[in-house]
Every structure is written in structure tokens, then in C-alpha cells.
Amino acid sequence: MPRVSRKKSSSGIYHIMLRGINRQTIFEEKEDRLKFLEVLSKYKNKGNFHLYGYCLMDNHIHLLVKESEEESISTSIKRISSSYVYWYNLKYERCGHLFQERFKSEIIDSQAVFLKVLRYIHQNPLKAGLTKDVLRSQWTSIREYIHKEEMVDTAMALNLFSLDRRTAMKRFIEHSRQRNDDRCLDLNNKKRLSDAEIMEQIRKIGLENTSVLQQMEKGDRDIFLSKLKELDGVSLRQLSRITGISKSVIHRVRQ
């Protein structure tokens, strides 16, 4: 079946979501997130697109961007994802895809939708139970709005609240903290599983304890590891810690 063309935004602004293939974790540790932000900044400058917001979750990324005249947003996202995946595969001694082949997108066609999507992006960690205050999220662009602008173009959003900076900031914070049921490219995110919950899942798939897993032949072991990787809300680092099997080994197991 032929691929359906993306809808073209009259404003040039898009909400973009990059998702790990098979919901795979794409950020294992702080260094990974820092590297992605470095890559994002590099290709923002090269592609000359505007970046209004971002959020880095464990297995997906949200971006709010405006396409430049020099380069299509599809080209920009391809450059960003390819560069990060190349670095990630070298670091974790893996090969192949990391992101789903085609990123998701929705057009932003009004100021109201723009502000709604920006709030949704910033509230992702809050709704996933990873923080209690949207303003304290470490891996979203809200820190650039509240503290210091680095690569995010904050003026557009703030000016929609007021041309007076102090008033705009007050209204922006109120808007960002507002409770809502917004759904924008929603993934129905779940809170990360606890170690106890993962151990329960290990017993459910027929393993008495992790020592049994470590003593298995590679083929049998990988079957069980594959089942564990399919669980929602689990990271490779967490699996490595619980099972005693290295992250690089777990990475190479196919789902």
C-alpha cells in the first residue's frame, strides 16, 4: 500500500513525535539525552528551523518546530535521527534501527492549538508520573522558558500571553500548570515499572529467579529476555540491574 503524504501546515509549524522502534528505550542515561540535545541544536542551526518546545521521554521524543524555507521538516528530522542513531549504536554496540521508520506529526493551525500542544509537551513527564511539578522537569524545554533560553525560541509563545515579559511569564506558568485532558499524538504513557513489578513479571513467564536466567544457554536466555523487553515501562538499564546481564547483551536480543 502506498504511503500517505503528510498534511502540509499552512503555518509551517508541526508537532513531531519520534518513537523508539517496538517502544524501545532510546535514552538509557543522562549522557544519551545530552547527546540528543547536542544533535538537535546542531541541525537546528544547519536547517535553520525554529524550535518552540521539546520533551525527551525514555522511549519517545516530542518536538514543536517550524519548518524553514531552506529545508523540509522531514529532511531536518531525518538528519537529527540518523546522527543520534549512529552515535547510539556505536555506544551500545548495536546495529539497525532505533526509531520507528516514519515519525508522527500533526499540523499547528492556530495560536490556541500551538499553546495547547506546547503545554502537552511540557506536561508529558507530569502525566507519566515522573515529576510532581511541570516546572521542575529536567528534560523538557520549559527550563529554557523559565530560566535561560539556549536553543528554544521562547518569544513566540510568551508574546501570545503578553508583550510585557513579567506578565507573559506569569500567564505562561499558570497555563503550563493548568490541569487538562489534552491528547496530542498521545501514547498513553505509563509510569515506569518498579523492580518488584518486574520480578513479578519474571515469575509469570516461568522463571523462579534471575539466577536461573543467568545460567541458561544463550538461545533459551534470549527468548526470556525478549519477553521482558516487550514489557511497557521497563528500561534496559533496569533489566540489566535486576538480571545481572549487561545492557549491551540485552540490547542485541531481538524482540
Side-chain angles (χ1 to χ4, degrees):
M1 181 179 292
R3 178 173 288 182
V4 179
S5 299
R6 293 186 187 278
K7 290 183 179 180
K8 190 73 174 176
S9 171
S10 59
S11 67
I13 304 176
Y14 297 86
H15 174 200
I16 303 292
M17 184 180 71
L18 284 160
R19 181 177 178 178
I21 192 167
N22 297 323
R23 299 189 178 187
Q24 178 175 325
T25 297
I26 54 180
F27 300 118
E28 286 293 330
E29 51 194 21
K30 180 178 179 179
E31 181 187 31
D32 302 347
R33 287 178 163 87
L34 291 175
K35 181 62 180 182
F36 182 84
L37 293 179
E38 177 187 318
V39 169
L40 180 60
S41 178
K42 173 182 176 180
Y43 287 102
K44 173 183 180 289
N45 293 331
K46 285 193 173 185
N48 201 30
F49 61 83
H50 289 278
L51 175 66
Y52 301 118
Y54 68 79
C55 173
L56 311 185
M57 299 294 281
D58 285 348
N59 66 357
H60 69 282
I61 299 159
H62 288 278
L63 303 172
L64 185 57
V65 299
K66 182 175 182 179
E67 190 173 51
S68 72
E69 294 182 0
E70 291 90 342
E71 182 173 279
S72 72
I73 197 60
S74 292
T75 298
S76 297
I77 298 301
K78 183 178 181 181
R79 292 178 188 274
I80 292 166
S81 59
S82 296
S83 179
Y84 177 72
V85 172
Y86 177 78
W87 175 87
Y88 184 93
N89 283 352
L90 282 178
K91 176 181 177 179
Y92 291 108
E93 300 178 348
R94 68 183 295 276
C95 61
H97 297 291
L98 177 63
F99 295 109
Q100 285 185 345
E101 184 177 356
R102 199 179 193 212
F103 64 86
K104 291 187 176 183
S105 67
E106 64 178 338
I107 62 174
I108 307 299
D109 54 10
S110 70
Q111 293 179 352
V113 172
F114 176 87
L115 292 177
K116 170 186 169 184
V117 170
L118 183 60
R119 179 176 62 194
Y120 171 83
I121 289 173
H122 287 157
Q123 286 192 357
N124 248 233
L126 179 70
K127 291 184 176 180
L130 302 177
T131 183
K132 293 182 179 180
D133 186 349
V134 66
L135 302 185
R136 295 182 180 276
S137 297
Q138 184 177 4
W139 301 110
T140 76
S141 52
I142 202 162
R143 62 187 180 84
E144 294 198 27
Y145 280 90
I146 302 300
H147 301 294
K148 180 182 178 182
E149 181 178 311
E150 296 174 1
M151 65 172 167
V152 175
D153 306 304
T154 63
M156 179 173 170
L158 293 175
N159 287 343
L160 292 178
F161 290 102
S162 174
L163 296 180
D164 177 74
R165 179 76 178 192
R166 182 175 295 180
T167 302
M169 185 60 68
K170 180 181 177 181
R171 293 175 179 172
F172 170 77
I173 291 174
E174 290 173 349
H175 176 78
S176 299
R177 282 176 162 164
Q178 191 175 66
R179 293 187 178 185
N180 60 81
D181 295 317
D182 294 341
R183 290 184 175 273
C184 313
L185 298 179
D186 193 38
L187 275 176
N188 296 318
N189 296 310
K190 296 181 179 179
K191 187 176 180 179
R192 184 187 294 277
L193 293 178
S194 67
D195 288 4
E197 289 171 324
I198 293 175
M199 286 303 301
E200 182 180 351
Q201 293 298 321
I202 288 175
R203 287 189 288 270
K204 282 184 178 180
I205 63 175
L207 294 175
E208 185 178 346
N209 54 56
T210 56
S211 297
V212 176
L213 186 64
Q214 294 169 7
Q215 296 168 14
M216 284 183 173
E217 295 292 331
K218 180 179 181 300
D220 294 333
R221 179 203 67 193
D222 287 355
I223 291 174
F224 282 102
L225 288 177
S226 177
K227 291 179 180 179
L228 293 175
K229 286 178 67 176
E230 290 175 355
L231 296 174
D232 288 337
V234 62
S235 73
L236 298 188
R237 167 179 279 195
Q238 193 176 20
L239 283 181
S240 176
R241 184 181 70 250
I242 292 172
T243 63
I245 298 171
S246 72
K247 284 192 298 182
S248 60
V249 169
I250 298 174
H251 258 292
R252 290 194 288 268
V253 174
R254 293 187 177 183
Q255 290 177 261

